[in-house]
Amino acid sequence: MDSRKRLWSSIWPPALMLLLIFIVWELIVRYELVYSWLIPSPIGVGQEMINSWSRLMEHWLATMQLTLLGFVGGALSGIALAMLLHFIPIIRRAMYPVLILSQNIPVIVIAPILTMLLGFGMLPKVLLIVLVCFFPICIAMLGGLAQIDYSLNNYMRMIGSNKWQTFIHLELPSALSNVFSGLKIAASYSVLSAVVAEWLSPKVGLGGFMILSSRGYMPERVFATVLLIVMTSLLLFWLVTLLERLCIRWRPRKEAS
Amino acid sequence: MLELKGVSKSFVTNGERHEVLRNINLSVKDGEFVSMIGPSGSGKTTLFQLIGGLNELDTGEIWLEGNNITGERGHIAYMPQQASLLPWYSVKRNIALALQIAGAGKKEAQQQAEQWLERVGLAEYSDEYPYKLSGGMSQRVSFLRALLSPQKLMLLDEPFGALDALTRLHMQQWLLSIWEQNRRSVLLVTHSIDEALMLSDRIVVLSSHPATVVQEVSVPFDRPRSGELWSTAEFNELKQLIYGLLQAQGAG
């Protein structure tokens, strides 16, 4: 009862704010302060969303498939690389600066290069998302692995646990919440880079649909697509949070503030 | 059982050499409870790390049950000052993990953990995560974990140092009652003379900077021991003796 009350009190202020923004926006468009072919009204966007729902869903599924493939691939390779760097310090010293350096190359620049190298198929798109996702996960995990509790580590060593046992029972669980922070960042990145990847060959997917709609001067449809992209990003973020909650149950649940 | 022969160790910090342990000779017999007591900073923790194989010694050898284990890990059961229970495992799994790392199968380890938790009246905590336990309760689990480990020697590193006086007293009685029914060889580090006298068969008094063995005091009280022991004249005489030895080291 009490927690529901608290939930409500945390939800209604931003909800009210959003509603207010929509009303003002709608009024601005309705009183023709801006042209409606430049910026569509929220109600118009909503109607467009309902009208082209089946087409949107079709493209959404394509984007979702791409995103998930890239995200999972990025997560796995990020965790694998972090483990490799963790277990072999010399590789860590050699690779870490290169890793940081590689992150200064913007996605928008890599995308056409990948397309040039690998064509317009699925592979370069998935690869792009993998490239974007693995980094935050890898860095977050390495950060977690570097902050192992001294006395726990001392205990494990005293009772003679080997490197692998220490990793499985101490280091991995201890780095897990860091890994999840990385996963959350990567989740938002993955949707974003999927859309960017789809711009390059606008056949299927929300990114492609968005480009085609804007070329066809259909602002309602562009906005509807953007809205769906935002919701997808939120959905993925929420899924990762849910997974985290399922995986990490050994500490007292923090009260929502 | 355990024998330290002429163990010395020094560390180098900022180019300066600090001698921590000098020519330590020490032994623990089968089923014997030995305490080490000394001023703080007398290198007792370093000594434990050497026995545990985490650090290399400068000179000397460490023997356990007729084998030279100098520099080898995995030969001892360990109870640290902080309970050091892994927060992501339940009480039962924490105990089982120590057994598994010592080579036991997962299933038997869990079964044994469960049986013992029941035997000492902690069955209700078996599936709880460590954050739900009080300090004293955590140390009970930590002791049980060391006791159940198959290694023959237990090292207890100031196990009750972080507890309040009353809990500490309870814990000593509890440990004593369990240990007296399940005798294992124990080497205990403590700052408390009372604790050392209450629990052990023999007390090794150490000096500091560097640590050397000043004297060994044997504790003649019969077992099982009761909580009233500390009020006897003999107990207080021994306490005075050890206190005097420590005072002579010029630190408390």
Side-chain angles (χ1 to χ4, degrees):
Chain A
M1 194 60 209
D2 205 40
S3 72
R4 185 170 293 178
K5 226 180 207 170
R6 209 172 304 144
L7 187 69
W8 257 116
S9 67
S10 74
I11 280 181
W12 75 260
L16 193 70
M17 190 68 215
L18 267 179
L19 190 70
L20 220 76
I21 291 174
F22 279 132
I23 290 172
V24 173
W25 178 4
E26 179 72 32
L27 289 176
I28 288 174
V29 179
R30 200 158 281 195
Y31 287 97
E32 295 189 342
L33 295 172
V34 294
Y35 298 112
S36 67
W37 49 264
L38 213 57
I39 293 187
S41 80
I43 291 177
V45 172
Q47 271 169 348
E48 178 59 33
M49 206 159 189
I50 293 165
N51 290 339
S52 52
W53 185 250
S54 62
R55 292 190 65 188
L56 275 173
M57 274 301 105
E58 202 179 297
H59 292 294
W60 181 78
L61 275 178
T63 303
M64 208 53 190
Q65 192 193 357
L66 187 64
T67 306
L68 286 180
L69 267 176
F71 177 65
V72 172
L76 292 181
S77 53
I79 290 170
L81 186 67
M83 278 172 68
L84 187 75
L85 298 193
H86 174 68
F87 276 114
I88 313 175
I90 180 83
I91 297 192
R92 184 193 171 118
R93 261 178 291 160
M95 284 277 287
Y96 200 83
V98 180
L99 258 180
I100 303 283
L101 215 65
S102 76
Q103 284 313 297
N104 291 310
I105 308 168
V107 190
I108 317 264
V109 179
I110 314 175
I113 299 177
L114 281 177
T115 312
M116 203 169 70
L117 290 175
L118 298 165
F120 290 97
M122 191 83 166
L123 183 66
K125 294 180 193 167
V126 174
L127 214 58
L128 178 76
I129 305 171
V130 169
L131 277 177
V132 170
C133 286
F134 96 92
F135 178 77
I137 296 167
C138 180
I139 295 298
M141 183 160 169
L142 282 174
L145 290 175
Q147 304 168 347
I148 304 300
D149 183 89
Y150 171 79
S151 54
L152 287 181
N153 196 23
N154 187 54
Y155 170 75
M156 292 297 278
R157 279 155 48 89
M158 281 296 268
I159 64 167
S161 110
N162 63 33
K163 241 183 158 182
W164 181 248
Q165 287 168 329
T166 306
F167 179 75
I168 288 295
H169 298 295
L170 172 62
E171 293 169 332
L172 186 63
S174 153
L176 208 57
S177 59
N178 286 62
V179 172
F180 271 106
S181 314
L183 283 174
K184 282 181 204 164
I185 299 173
S188 325
Y189 281 9
S190 67
V191 178
L192 181 84
S193 34
V195 170
V196 171
E198 284 166 349
W199 284 350
L200 295 171
S201 51
K203 274 176 274 182
V204 286
L206 292 175
F209 192 58
M210 191 179 149
I211 289 276
L212 294 181
S213 309
S214 90
R215 281 182 197 157
Y217 287 106
M218 290 181 278
E220 275 94 357
R221 195 172 277 185
V222 175
F223 271 69
T225 315
V226 171
L227 200 63
L228 200 58
I229 291 168
V230 171
M231 289 192 316
T232 307
S233 196
L234 281 176
L235 175 75
L236 218 58
F237 186 88
W238 178 76
L239 281 177
V240 175
T241 312
L242 195 72
L243 191 67
E244 179 180 20
R245 226 179 258 180
L246 286 177
C247 288
I248 303 182
R249 290 200 281 196
W250 58 76
R251 48 181 188 211
R253 186 72 56 80
K254 270 186 217 137
E255 296 290 320
S257 59
Chain B
M1 177 72 208
L2 174 78
E3 245 183 296
L4 305 189
K5 298 176 181 170
V7 171
S8 300
K9 175 74 184 171
S10 46
F11 290 105
V12 178
T13 42
N14 302 329
E16 257 182 279
R17 207 163 146 273
H18 295 278
E19 198 178 8
V20 182
L21 304 170
R22 181 187 289 169
N23 192 26
I24 303 275
N25 291 294
L26 187 90
S27 71
V28 181
K29 295 191 204 68
D30 240 339
E32 192 185 24
F33 199 126
V34 177
S35 295
M36 284 195 295
I37 194 163
S40 25
S42 59
K44 293 164 297 200
T45 302
T46 305
L47 190 61
F48 268 15
Q49 293 206 329
L50 294 180
I51 299 173
L54 301 199
N55 257 322
E56 280 176 35
L57 20 169
D58 297 341
T59 60
E61 284 173 356
I62 298 169
W63 288 72
L64 187 69
E65 298 197 293
N67 301 311
N68 187 345
I69 60 153
T70 313
E72 288 178 20
R73 297 201 291 129
H75 291 290
I76 48 117
Y78 179 55
M79 178 181 181
Q81 183 171 10
Q82 259 81 38
S84 299
L85 302 174
L86 297 172
W88 33 88
Y89 289 154
S90 65
V91 165
K92 183 172 71 187
R93 275 204 76 186
N94 260 295
I95 295 175
L97 179 66
L99 310 194
Q100 274 172 262
I101 284 176
K106 189 171 179 177
K107 243 196 186 143
E108 34 178 322
Q110 298 232 1
Q111 266 172 8
Q112 214 183 340
E114 209 153 343
Q115 278 170 14
W116 269 85
L117 281 167
E118 196 150 331
R119 198 190 295 188
V120 300
L122 294 172
E124 55 181 311
Y125 296 101
S126 168
D127 293 315
E128 297 282 11
Y129 286 117
Y131 78 87
K132 294 208 170 161
L133 305 182
S134 67
M137 213 49 98
S138 302
Q139 286 297 31
R140 279 172 211 234
V141 175
S142 179
F143 175 71
L144 209 53
R145 178 171 68 170
L147 188 75
L148 293 195
S149 300
Q151 291 96 336
K152 292 278 165 54
L153 176 72
M154 287 168 74
L155 298 184
L156 313 185
D157 187 0
E158 292 183 51
F160 310 132
L163 301 177
D164 62 89
L166 195 63
T167 313
R168 195 177 177 133
L169 222 58
H170 282 306
M171 287 294 299
Q172 288 166 5
Q173 292 301 323
W174 181 82
L175 188 148
L176 205 56
S177 69
I178 291 186
W179 182 80
E180 280 173 347
Q181 289 161 31
N182 309 273
R183 298 279 284 245
R184 295 270 299 276
S185 309
V186 174
L187 186 57
L188 168 89
V189 158
T190 180
H191 284 304
S192 156
I193 302 175
D194 284 327
E195 187 168 291
L197 283 170
M198 202 72 207
L199 298 174
S200 39
D201 299 312
R202 201 145 49 84
I203 298 174
V204 178
V205 182
L206 296 178
S207 67
S208 65
H209 310 295
T212 51
V213 176
V214 176
Q215 194 170 333
E216 289 194 11
V217 180
S218 65
V219 184
F221 308 124
D222 291 336
R223 293 183 188 276
R225 293 177 183 170
S226 76
E228 284 93 55
L229 194 62
W230 57 269
S231 59
T232 63
E234 211 177 356
F235 186 95
N236 282 295
E237 265 167 44
L238 278 174
K239 190 173 167 179
Q240 287 300 326
L241 171 73
I242 294 170
Y243 186 69
L245 288 170
L246 286 173
Q247 278 296 83
Q249 302 310 313

